[in-house]
Amino acid sequence: MKRLWTLALLLGPAAASAQGGGQLPADSVRYGVTTSHDTVTVGEAFEVRVRVRAPVDATIRFPEQPDSTGTVQARDPRVIQITDSIQARDETAVYRVSAWDVETQPIILPDVVVSWTGGERRIPLGGLEVFVRSVLPADSTLRVPKPARPLWEPRAFPWWLLAALLAAAIIGALLWWWWRRRRRPRAAEVLDPYAQAQREFNRLDAMGLVDAGERTRFAALAVEVLRDYLVARYPDLSLALTSREVVAMIRRHPTVPAEQLSRVLHEADLAKFAGFSLVEERARNLARDARGIVEHDHAASQPPAQAAA
């Protein structure tokens, strides 16, 4: 729609008479009212502007919003625009409203109050109206409205939701069972610590690290097999313990030769951390001593054989 400004009240002197004290000159207060559209549709937003010019020492009080009981109601809070405040008090109140019925609808706004020292004037804003056209077709007799909906509508029970929850529960149970089964060690895979250590020592010998010149690595791996065996045999030990802590705790177990273990761990630490060079014979002796500690502990921990009858 083309944007037009329609003058609702011509800019002129206020017609209201003075109330209270002193009088203002007849042409000292001027006002005007305009609307942004002369024709709108139902619910379409348009503006109503009320402009008042008064002496600079006067106070202008615009109404907050249109009457809420009318068909034209506010959409946004009122906005005050100040055009001049030096030579005169020139203010404009902008109301953004919408009409909610068809045909000609009145815009009900309370009076504007202009007050000064000794009196006041009221500017009536009656007579404002806007034409609201309908958006329905010209012939609506063939349009049958839908029947009224019931207050409570029965809804079908969501069986699909129960099926989805049941499927999720079954999948979760299967995943939990698979996880528990995977964590449980198989009987065939559970080896005795001694058998496990012997297998690792044999595999280390077959690698041929000493012949390849990696003597330090060979000795370190042999000591690692020894420590794995001790941790598997005695729960109070841990791989996180230092060599000194291992020796201190292993004294609680008399089946392990503590002095020999201390010497083997000390020499292995020198080779791994202090750069101590191992000759081929010494590397093989360290591995042999580590295997000997395992053999000694295993033999000492076995129950004594029963005497022959």
Side-chain angles (χ1 to χ4, degrees):
M1 181 184 293
K2 185 178 180 181
R3 185 178 180 88
L4 298 175
W5 287 88
T6 304
L7 188 62
L9 294 176
L10 294 176
L11 190 62
S17 61
Q19 299 179 2
Q23 297 285 340
L24 284 177
D27 59 348
S28 60
V29 178
R30 296 177 178 271
Y31 68 95
V33 182
T34 58
T35 58
S36 60
H37 296 74
D38 56 353
T39 302
V40 296
T41 57
V42 175
E44 181 182 357
F46 64 98
E47 291 182 352
V48 177
R49 291 176 170 266
V50 181
R51 181 177 179 181
V52 177
R53 184 178 179 87
V56 70
D57 59 344
T59 301
I60 305 173
R61 296 198 301 274
F62 293 97
E64 291 292 334
Q65 297 293 349
D67 189 354
S68 60
T69 60
T71 57
V72 178
Q73 299 179 0
R75 296 176 64 98
D76 297 320
R78 178 198 65 189
V79 177
I80 301 296
Q81 299 176 353
I82 300 176
T83 305
D84 187 7
S85 62
I86 299 177
Q87 298 179 355
R89 184 170 296 278
D90 193 341
E91 299 180 2
T92 302
V94 181
Y95 302 89
R96 192 166 182 267
V97 295
S98 294
W100 302 103
D101 202 353
V102 295
E103 305 298 336
T104 302
Q105 301 297 329
I107 304 174
I108 305 174
L109 282 170
D111 298 344
V112 178
V113 179
V114 180
S115 58
W116 66 95
T117 303
E120 69 178 20
R121 283 186 178 178
R122 289 185 172 272
I123 302 175
L125 300 179
L128 297 178
E129 58 185 22
V130 66
F131 183 79
V132 185
R133 62 181 178 86
S134 175
V135 295
L136 295 177
D139 184 10
S140 60
T141 57
L142 299 179
R143 298 180 179 270
V144 180
K146 294 182 179 179
R149 299 177 64 180
L151 184 60
W152 302 102
E153 294 184 358
R155 296 184 178 180
F157 189 79
W159 295 105
W160 62 269
L161 182 60
L162 289 181
L165 292 176
L166 181 60
I170 294 175
I171 294 174
L174 290 176
L175 289 175
W176 177 82
W177 173 80
W178 172 81
W179 180 72
R180 290 292 301 272
R181 181 180 176 86
R182 186 176 181 181
R183 288 191 58 189
R184 185 185 308 161
R186 299 179 181 178
E189 296 178 353
V190 177
L191 297 178
D192 179 73
Y194 175 73
Q196 178 73 13
Q198 292 298 327
R199 187 176 69 173
E200 293 299 325
F201 280 128
N202 295 334
R203 186 171 67 89
L204 184 60
D205 291 339
M207 291 174 64
L209 294 177
V210 176
D211 298 334
E214 298 187 17
R215 297 180 293 272
T216 301
R217 182 184 177 193
F218 174 75
L221 291 177
V223 172
E224 183 177 342
V225 174
L226 171 61
R227 294 197 59 166
D228 290 340
Y229 167 80
L230 295 176
V231 170
R233 282 276 291 121
Y234 304 106
D236 57 340
L237 298 180
S238 171
L239 293 177
L241 298 176
T242 63
S243 298
R244 182 175 297 180
E245 292 172 342
V246 171
V247 174
M249 297 187 67
I250 207 65
R251 297 186 186 278
R252 306 174 186 175
H253 308 286
T255 58
V256 180
E259 299 301 330
Q260 185 179 1
L261 175 64
S262 175
R263 179 174 51 81
V264 170
L265 294 181
H266 178 68
E267 292 191 16
D269 290 344
L270 290 177
K272 290 190 296 183
F273 306 117
F276 183 74
S277 178
L278 293 175
V279 296
E280 177 180 348
E281 182 180 359
R282 188 55 196 151
R284 294 186 185 278
N285 289 338
L286 275 177
R288 191 179 302 109
D289 291 343
R291 185 191 288 262
I293 294 174
V294 173
E295 297 279 358
H296 184 278
D297 177 74
H298 177 70
S301 60
Q302 297 300 313
Q306 295 182 356

mmCIF file of all heavy atoms in Angstrom, residues 22 39 96 100 119 171 229:
data_model
loop_
_atom_site.group_PDB
_atom_site.id
_atom_site.type_symbol
_atom_site.label_atom_id
_atom_site.label_comp_id
_atom_site.label_asym_id
_atom_site.label_seq_id
_atom_site.Cartn_x
_atom_site.Cartn_y
_atom_site.Cartn_z
ATOM 1 N N GLY A 22 -3.194 31.011 35.402
ATOM 2 C CA GLY A 22 -2.991 31.979 34.338
ATOM 3 C C GLY A 22 -3.306 31.434 32.963
ATOM 4 O O GLY A 22 -3.431 30.245 32.740
ATOM 5 N N THR A 39 -6.146 3.445 4.979
ATOM 6 C CA THR A 39 -6.821 2.160 4.839
ATOM 7 C C THR A 39 -5.821 1.060 5.156
ATOM 8 O O THR A 39 -4.718 1.031 4.601
ATOM 9 C CB THR A 39 -7.374 1.959 3.417
ATOM 10 O OG1 THR A 39 -8.273 3.028 3.121
ATOM 11 C CG2 THR A 39 -8.111 0.629 3.305
ATOM 12 N N ARG A 96 2.487 3.026 17.508
ATOM 13 C CA ARG A 96 2.412 1.966 16.495
ATOM 14 C C ARG A 96 1.292 1.019 16.907
ATOM 15 O O ARG A 96 1.367 0.349 17.938
ATOM 16 C CB ARG A 96 3.739 1.213 16.401
ATOM 17 C CG ARG A 96 3.854 0.303 15.199
ATOM 18 C CD ARG A 96 5.307 -0.125 15.001
ATOM 19 N NE ARG A 96 5.467 -0.961 13.823
ATOM 20 C CZ ARG A 96 5.428 -2.300 13.836
ATOM 21 N NH1 ARG A 96 5.259 -2.937 14.989
ATOM 22 N NH2 ARG A 96 5.583 -2.985 12.710
ATOM 23 N N TRP A 100 -8.238 -4.474 14.767
ATOM 24 C CA TRP A 100 -8.614 -5.887 14.828
ATOM 25 C C TRP A 100 -10.078 -6.110 14.452
ATOM 26 O O TRP A 100 -10.679 -7.106 14.852
ATOM 27 C CB TRP A 100 -8.331 -6.443 16.210
ATOM 28 C CG TRP A 100 -6.888 -6.308 16.589
ATOM 29 C CD1 TRP A 100 -6.342 -5.403 17.421
ATOM 30 C CD2 TRP A 100 -5.815 -7.084 16.076
ATOM 31 N NE1 TRP A 100 -4.986 -5.535 17.497
ATOM 32 C CE2 TRP A 100 -4.614 -6.585 16.668
ATOM 33 C CE3 TRP A 100 -5.711 -8.145 15.172
ATOM 34 C CZ2 TRP A 100 -3.371 -7.115 16.395
ATOM 35 C CZ3 TRP A 100 -4.466 -8.665 14.914
ATOM 36 C CH2 TRP A 100 -3.315 -8.156 15.505
ATOM 37 N N GLY A 119 -1.341 26.954 35.392
ATOM 38 C CA GLY A 119 -2.501 26.439 34.682
ATOM 39 C C GLY A 119 -2.134 25.321 33.732
ATOM 40 O O GLY A 119 -0.980 24.885 33.650
ATOM 41 N N ILE A 171 19.767 -54.227 23.126
ATOM 42 C CA ILE A 171 21.100 -53.943 22.589
ATOM 43 C C ILE A 171 22.074 -53.613 23.712
ATOM 44 O O ILE A 171 23.231 -54.054 23.724
ATOM 45 C CB ILE A 171 21.015 -52.785 21.571
ATOM 46 C CG1 ILE A 171 20.213 -53.224 20.343
ATOM 47 C CG2 ILE A 171 22.400 -52.315 21.166
ATOM 48 C CD1 ILE A 171 19.970 -52.103 19.354
ATOM 49 N N TYR A 229 57.343 -61.453 36.416
ATOM 50 C CA TYR A 229 57.116 -62.687 37.174
ATOM 51 C C TYR A 229 56.882 -62.389 38.652
ATOM 52 O O TYR A 229 55.957 -62.927 39.273
ATOM 53 C CB TYR A 229 58.321 -63.617 36.996
ATOM 54 C CG TYR A 229 58.330 -64.763 37.973
ATOM 55 C CD1 TYR A 229 57.547 -65.893 37.764
ATOM 56 C CD2 TYR A 229 59.125 -64.717 39.127
ATOM 57 C CE1 TYR A 229 57.554 -66.948 38.676
ATOM 58 C CE2 TYR A 229 59.136 -65.764 40.032
ATOM 59 C CZ TYR A 229 58.347 -66.867 39.812
ATOM 60 O OH TYR A 229 58.327 -67.907 40.718
#
